[in-house]
């Protein structure tokens, strides 16, 4: 809260200064809610604006992050919060964590196996989710995970298995006394986030995830995804040459994922290499978060209408819209999520600016998002932790995470 108040104190100053400076660059009057991309600023002008900000106010933002704030007002708000964080303030002892749930691709055989063997709370939680998922899968998700079954990479199984592990990990943290001030999920990770936010019951979420994976599994294996070190503008530029390719996710500065036709992605990979931009094809059989998933939407939507969502009781940051979403998470939202790009970086930045957490906890079977979260938060941002580093993480590792979050049996009463 201290950061937020400080940001509000300075926002008006930054807003006036930015509006005047951007108007000079654009050679016309620019409104405070104007979109930066519509102000006529090319990459050189945007870099010059970054230099002006640094010269006037010091190091508050990185040059690669300038594009992350779509309007003048949002850029001003971010700069104000960063300024407030640098001011002297009382020592704050209360831990304010946020939970970030990883998406498809983080699953692997033996997920969180060490915790299952050595942590009774986690084992109990996973067993509980297993029982809820059984009617939809017709098999034990625990046996699937721990049996080193390569079938776990099949969409119909990977999505419910990942949901089971993530919710069980989150339940373990909650039962130890960790209370998130906000939650966010990447792709299918949004279902675990919504369950923790109490916008979905565990039963409804389990059913939706199982059906989502099943409907997607039926689609032809004709697409793919390409992780690139390009920013969204560079990615959009090369994608424009391929009608069957679009942006699937914006994960951080210069971490954009393209999705769509596999042949088109292969050609794009060559163009990026010629420009000195590295990329790699992801081990997926579908073009997730693209129009190629549209055939899965009608059947899933009909099923989702039977699982009425409610308003989140914990602030829920949508990676469909890139902002906090306070309205009920119903069928329309979950249907749109299937074909929409993941606006991860935008949602994370807004969550960090609004809630000023002390810790960001990645909830998933391994640390996939943690490096991205550290890049987004910056050197003076919150501490980033992964509740599970991999299949060998055990109860001792979990105790270390709980200790960092001032939770568990040794927690101090502050």
């Amino acid at each position: 809260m201290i950061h937020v108040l400080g940001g509000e104190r300075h926002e008006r100053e930054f807003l006036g200064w930015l509006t005047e400076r951007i108007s000079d660059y654009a050679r016309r009057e620019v409104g405070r809610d104007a979109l930066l991309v519509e102000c006529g600023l090319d990459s050189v002008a945007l870099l010059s604006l970054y230099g002006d900000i640094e010269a006037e106010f010091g190091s508050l933002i990185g040059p690669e992050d300038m594009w992350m704030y779509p309007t003048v007002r949002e850029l001003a708000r971010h700069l104000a919060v960063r300024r407030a964080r640098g001011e002297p303030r009382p020592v704050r002892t209360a831990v304010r964590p946020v939970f970030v749930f990883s998406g498809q691709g983080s699953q692997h055989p033996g997920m969180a196996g060490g915790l299952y063997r050595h942590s009774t709370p986690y084992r109990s939680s996973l067993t509980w989710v297993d029982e809820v998922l059984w009617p939809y899968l017709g098999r034990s998700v625990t046996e699937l995970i721990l049996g080193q079954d390569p079938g776990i990479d099949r969409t119909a199984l990977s999505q419910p298995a990942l949901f089971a592990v993530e919710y069980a990990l989150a339940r373990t943290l909650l039962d130890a006394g960790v209370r998130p001030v906000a939650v966010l999920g990447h792709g299918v990770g949004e279902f675990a986030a919504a369950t923790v936010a109490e916008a979905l019951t565990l039963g409804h979420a389990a059913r939706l995830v199982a059906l989502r994976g099943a409907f997607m599994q039926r689609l032809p294996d004709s697409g793919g995804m390409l992780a690139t070190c390009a920013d969204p503008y560079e990615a959009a530029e090369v994608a424009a040459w391929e009608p069957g390719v679009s942006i699937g996710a914006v994960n951080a500065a210069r971490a954009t994922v393209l999705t769509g036709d596999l042949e088109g992605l292969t050609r794009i990979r060559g163009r990026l290499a010629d420009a000195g931009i590295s990329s790699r094809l992801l081990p997926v059989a579908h073009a997730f978060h693209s129009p190629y998933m549209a055939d899965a939407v009608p059947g899933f939507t009909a099923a989702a209408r039977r699982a009425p969502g409610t308003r989140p009781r914990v602030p829920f940051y949508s990676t469909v819209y890139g902002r906090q979403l306070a309205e009920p998470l119903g069928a329309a939202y979950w249907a749109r999520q299937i074909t929409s790009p993941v606006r991860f970086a935008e949602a994370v930045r807004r969550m960090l600016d609004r809630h000023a957490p002390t810790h960001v906890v990645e909830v998933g079977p391994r640390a996939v998002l943690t490096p991205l979260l550290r890049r987004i938060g910056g050197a003076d941002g919150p501490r980033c932790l992964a509740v599970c580093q991999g299949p060998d993480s055990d109860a001792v590792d979990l105790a270390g995470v709980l200790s960092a979050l001032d939770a568990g049996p040794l927690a101090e009463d502050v």
Side-chain angles (χ1 to χ4, degrees):
M1 184 64 68
I2 295 170
H3 291 341
V4 174
L5 292 176
E8 292 175 350
R9 192 168 60 246
H10 293 295
E11 183 176 336
R12 188 171 300 176
E13 172 192 354
F14 281 107
L15 193 54
W17 185 89
L18 278 174
T19 303
E20 181 179 350
R21 189 56 54 95
I22 293 173
S23 295
D24 289 343
Y25 277 109
R27 297 183 179 179
R28 61 180 174 84
E29 187 174 347
V30 171
R32 297 186 170 191
D33 292 302
L35 292 169
L36 290 175
V37 295
E38 296 180 357
C39 293
L41 302 183
D42 58 18
S43 58
V44 174
L46 206 59
L47 186 61
S48 297
L49 178 61
Y50 158 74
D52 292 342
I53 292 171
E54 188 170 61
E56 184 75 16
F57 303 105
S59 181
L60 297 179
I61 192 172
E64 72 278 7
D65 292 334
M66 291 291 290
W67 58 266
M68 290 301 303
Y69 300 92
T71 68
V72 178
R73 187 179 300 276
E74 287 179 285
L75 178 58
R77 183 173 296 123
H78 175 70
L79 294 173
V81 171
R82 294 297 294 269
R83 162 70 72 82
R85 286 177 179 171
E87 292 184 342
R89 55 185 183 270
V91 176
R92 183 178 58 194
T93 57
V95 172
R96 294 172 48 84
V98 295
F99 288 0
V100 178
F101 296 82
S102 51
Q104 192 167 353
S106 60
Q107 79 281 348
H108 58 273
M111 289 189 289
L115 284 174
Y116 185 84
R117 291 187 296 272
H118 302 296
S119 170
T120 299
Y122 173 74
R123 184 166 57 251
S124 298
S125 295
L126 185 63
T127 300
W128 179 26
V129 187
D130 192 336
E131 292 173 356
V132 177
L133 277 167
W134 182 284
Y136 309 110
L137 299 183
R139 61 182 298 178
S140 166
V141 73
T142 302
E143 292 179 1
L144 167 69
I145 294 166
L146 300 180
Q148 303 293 318
D149 189 337
I152 199 170
D153 287 326
R154 294 179 60 234
T155 301
L157 298 177
S158 64
Q159 294 190 9
L162 189 60
F163 169 79
V165 169
E166 291 186 345
Y167 183 75
L169 289 171
R171 188 74 257 168
T172 303
L173 296 177
L174 292 169
D175 289 345
V178 182
R179 294 291 177 267
V181 297
V183 296
L184 179 153
H186 192 294
V188 72
E190 285 204 300
F191 287 90
T195 308
V196 170
E198 299 182 46
L200 288 174
T201 67
L202 176 59
H204 284 150
R207 177 174 174 273
L208 289 179
V209 171
L211 290 172
R212 184 183 192 267
F215 280 118
M216 289 183 175
Q217 185 71 54
R218 295 175 189 170
L219 299 177
D221 294 350
S222 59
M225 303 186 79
L226 182 71
T228 78
C229 292
D231 67 39
Y233 298 117
E234 293 169 332
E237 185 176 356
V238 293
W241 292 87
E242 300 290 344
V245 175
S246 58
I247 290 178
V250 179
N251 289 331
R254 307 200 69 83
T256 307
V257 178
L258 293 171
T259 181
D261 173 68
L262 193 55
E263 293 183 0
L265 290 174
T266 302
R267 288 190 290 269
I268 284 177
R269 191 179 186 192
R271 294 191 188 102
L272 290 173
D274 291 341
I277 298 175
S278 61
S279 64
R280 64 182 176 90
L281 287 167
L282 299 178
V284 297
H286 300 288
F288 296 110
H289 299 288
S290 81
Y292 279 77
M293 308 306 294
D295 286 346
V297 172
F300 176 80
T301 302
R305 291 196 182 104
R306 294 175 55 194
T310 60
R311 295 179 184 276
R313 294 188 178 182
V314 176
F316 175 91
Y317 279 76
S318 162
T319 50
V320 174
Y321 296 105
R323 59 174 173 81
Q324 184 177 352
L325 203 63
E327 52 261 39
L329 300 179
Y333 178 80
W334 297 116
R336 178 167 184 165
Q337 192 222 34
I338 290 176
T339 56
S340 296
V342 179
R343 298 167 68 172
F344 178 74
E346 188 177 352
V348 170
R349 289 181 184 279
R350 287 180 171 172
M351 181 175 65
L352 298 185
D353 284 352
R354 173 65 182 85
H355 295 280
T358 58
H359 296 75
V360 179
V361 184
E362 179 177 356
V363 183
R366 56 182 172 178
V368 174
L369 300 176
T370 299
L372 299 172
L373 293 165
R374 288 183 179 133
R375 285 168 58 185
I376 295 171
D380 61 345
R383 182 180 178 186
C384 298
L385 303 169
V387 68
C388 181
Q389 291 286 342
D392 295 328
S393 288
D394 57 20
V396 175
D397 300 318
L398 177 61
V401 173
L402 293 176
S403 176
L405 297 172
D406 194 26
L410 300 180
E412 296 182 9
D413 184 13
V414 294

